[in-house]
Amino acid sequence: MVDRIIAEAESNGVTHALVGSSNLEWQRIVGFYKRHGFKMWYVQMYR
């Protein structure tokens, strides 16, 4: 589904996509989006 949404957006002239997640299983989420061509931009931590 992610790939289809990105392809549709690109066909309509969209050149960038940004995703975010507030999830404790961040490694799994990062892996999911990396498999769809996204790259890590920043890390935010809290204490």
Side-chain angles (χ1 to χ4, degrees):
M1 186 161 85
V2 172
D3 294 331
R4 182 173 174 145
I5 291 168
I6 296 297
E8 182 70 24
E10 287 174 345
S11 74
N12 286 293
V14 175
T15 59
H16 294 82
L18 179 65
V19 295
S21 175
S22 296
N23 189 316
L24 295 176
E25 294 186 39
W26 64 270
Q27 289 126 328
R28 191 171 66 91
I29 302 304
V30 168
F32 173 82
Y33 284 111
K34 278 186 172 185
R35 287 191 300 276
H36 293 282
F38 287 84
K39 295 178 177 66
M40 182 80 75
W41 179 19
Y42 70 90
V43 174
Q44 182 176 4
M45 300 176 79
Y46 70 93
R47 183 176 145 157

